[in-house]
Amino acid sequence: EKAPEQPPETEAESPTGLTRRQFFGTTASSAVVGAGLAAGSWPLSSSPARAAEGKQDAHVAPGELDTYYGFWSAGQSGELRIMGVPSMRELLRIPVFNWDGATGWGITNESRKILYEGLTPAGKRRADKQGGVLRNGDTHHPHLSLTEGSYDGRYCFINDKANSRVARIRLDIMKTDKIVQIPNAQAVHGVRPQKHPKTGYLFCNCEFMIPQPNDGRDMDSPDKYQTVFAGVDSDTMEVKWQVLVDGNLDNTNCDYKGRYAFSTCYNSENAAHLAGMMRKDRDHVVVFDIPRIEEAVKKGRYKTIGDSDVPVVDGTKGSDLTMYIPVPKGPHGINTTPDGKYFVANGKLSPTVTVVEIDKLDAYFRGAMKNPREAVVAEPELGLGPLHTTYDGRGNAYTTLFIDSRIAKWNIQEAIEAFQGGDTNPIKQKLDVHYQPGHNNATLAETKDADGKWLVSLQKFSKDRFLNVGPLKPENDQLIDISGDKMRIVHDGPTFSEPHDCVMARADQVNPRKIWSRDDPWFDDIKAQAKADGISDLTKANKVVRDGNQVRVYMTSSAPNYHITELRVQEGDEVTVALTNVDNIEDLTHGFTLTNFDVAMEISPQQTSSVTFTADEPGVHWYYCQWFCHALHMEMRGRMIVEKA
Ligand code: CUK
Ligand code: CUA
């Protein structure tokens, strides 16, 4: 992003003698002070005098439950986080593309299979060089599966910009169960589940342009680089097709009818350096006609690229599969209104957002619209650095202004009237946020059920809002009451590196299990192995099976015991430990940590986890339960005795 313009750091630098802290004030109510000082950028419409603020209580008392589940991405931490809203309490971290010592993600056989099997051939070569998994990820966009425009509680999807992957998280067990790496791509950025009739496709924007195939050709001809838009089948997590486009894809969204997806595009110049990316004054939004793309694939109008067999259709300018709508330079977020009528492309480098009427797109694809700009119905100027927009379901939109450190609340209908020449000012309020907001999202605003209760604004900088923890500071996620006419900040929430985006679902729309079901397909592989070893029920098995130099240990645990406490193997054996927690009491999780072997895993109630390692050091090696489970938790351990070969 562009370097933000900052209010003065110190009194000495400040022409008014005010520091940033005084300048912005520490609460929403002192925003009025900021208004007087920030010359020219305060909205003209409303007087600062008391429009009614929402009066919702954000306090969730001890023992009380939140009313919304929040799903937060975690940027370069590579995980997904579950938050309670409105308390903003962090409830869980779900490892996705990262390693996690608490749950054994990246260590257990179950997770390593998920992390490996969906990689491209090049991804597998990379993983093979470093122990079988890729180690980092960069998650930006968590989105939940929908049925007919409402959350259906099945899945959360999330992208990995760093290694070009997308993942699916099962919401019944809150575990990642599928990961696919997108071929012909670098940096999968925007992702969006189809809203209608159900998800359906997961639409994926591949951001960076590369030679196609990227095998050493055309490296010095950036004008030949291309990127793709991908349709992933969310039931199988297979890439069904890709569409070659002009320009860099950024964020994506789709309609509520199942026909169109649309993506913002920056760098329509196809340049490889920043200066070149700024040459033109316009970029574009690409609209994808999904049924036509499917038809083209069916009719064989595609090619394949390199070692990938994914059908790739041509959606570059002039194609009948796509529509290019020119918009001001560098559009970023793209957000569909909950009524399904419009999408808003956020200007980023332009102070405007572009409102497109989705029903008008048909005319273009029918050939009845010459200039794609005819689909634009409003382009209000909101302030500096508009990045993302969300909605309250009452006709208002809320746009983050990155450079201004504000959120602009504006009315969509009034913006349309103003575009037609009316003299309405659609801007209702600008609220200072602290500081430099990226995404914002309101409760249920990504669905047709937007309820206009809470808005969360995710700030990239926290600066002075919290105790100083050194040069690396937390982000700041602010909770804003939008139930009244005026927005009101009610909570500051520090988060670590770096949630970009979040979505919120009503608590009743997500229904995770309390303990595992023994029928869960998660256990299929280890059950099959056990069966081959003569074990029909893992919850009853405490048995060591030797098969050449492979040793398989089937073990159960119940607080505070492992049911095998002495395990004898030979130096050089390849040992698999499959541990089943037979406790069926809610929250009674055990673990298995093998000291000095870099082995650890979680075993929640009724779960089986397995791990494979080589017993390469003769001697005594204690294993212990790392999840505090019982008064005798410290005593819950056993010995692996490795006899010299
Ligand atoms: S992007 Cu991060 S602030 Cu990756 Cu959704 Cu806009
Ligand atoms: Cu089992 Cu601690």
Side-chain angles (χ1 to χ4, degrees), residues 299-530:
K299 289 195 171 137
R301 282 173 54 200
Y302 66 81
K303 60 176 178 180
T304 60
I305 298 174
D307 58 10
S308 157
D309 53 13
V310 171
V312 182
V313 299
D314 182 7
T316 53
K317 274 183 196 157
S319 157
D320 60 344
L321 309 176
T322 52
M323 166 183 183
Y324 285 72
I325 306 175
V327 295
K329 193 74 201 152
H332 184 62
I334 187 159
N335 304 95
T336 310
T337 57
D339 61 11
K341 284 189 187 159
Y342 309 103
F343 69 76
V344 169
N346 298 260
K348 191 175 70 177
L349 304 180
S350 158
T352 57
V353 296
T354 304
V355 184
V356 171
E357 186 173 338
I358 294 171
D359 275 348
K360 293 198 174 196
L361 303 175
D362 291 350
Y364 179 86
F365 284 96
R366 268 202 322 270
M369 180 192 287
K370 282 265 133 51
N371 179 358
R373 283 285 299 179
E374 288 169 35
V376 173
V377 294
E379 208 153 58
E381 186 171 324
L382 301 178
L384 297 182
L387 288 189
H388 295 281
T389 296
T390 189
Y391 307 99
D392 62 10
R394 300 188 297 268
N396 299 307
Y398 301 78
T399 301
T400 54
L401 302 173
F402 178 76
I403 298 170
D404 282 345
S405 281
R406 285 188 172 149
I407 290 177
K409 174 180 177 179
W410 53 285
N411 183 276
I412 301 162
Q413 207 48 49
E414 290 176 26
I416 293 169
E417 285 160 25
F419 193 70
Q420 291 163 350
D423 61 357
T424 36
N425 179 353
I427 298 175
K428 300 291 146 197
Q429 183 194 3
K430 289 190 189 179
L431 177 73
D432 290 329
V433 290
H434 313 86
Y435 306 93
Q436 270 75 45
H439 277 270
N440 63 355
N441 227 317
T443 41
L444 298 167
E446 304 271 317
T447 75
K448 67 177 169 58
D449 308 315
D451 66 4
K453 301 273 200 230
W454 299 106
L455 178 145
V456 170
S457 178
L458 305 175
Q459 274 72 236
K460 305 296 188 187
F461 294 71
S462 65
K463 298 181 182 288
D464 50 10
R465 296 291 280 192
F466 306 110
L467 283 177
N468 180 21
V469 288
L472 177 62
K473 303 195 196 308
E475 327 303 323
N476 184 14
D477 299 351
Q478 289 181 308
L479 180 72
I480 296 165
D481 184 347
I482 55 165
S483 64
D485 289 334
K486 282 218 145 200
M487 297 178 273
R488 177 177 66 103
I489 294 181
V490 297
H491 184 85
D492 269 33
T495 45
F496 183 61
S497 143
E498 173 190 314
H500 280 246
D501 194 6
C502 66
V503 294
M504 286 161 280
R506 263 194 340 264
D508 65 80
Q509 292 176 311
V510 182
N511 291 291
R513 299 185 61 88
K514 295 188 171 171
I515 62 175
W516 285 78
S517 158
R518 288 305 307 163
D519 298 331
D520 201 291
W522 195 266
F523 312 132
D524 284 355
D525 286 354
I526 190 67
K527 274 184 183 169
Q529 182 63 60

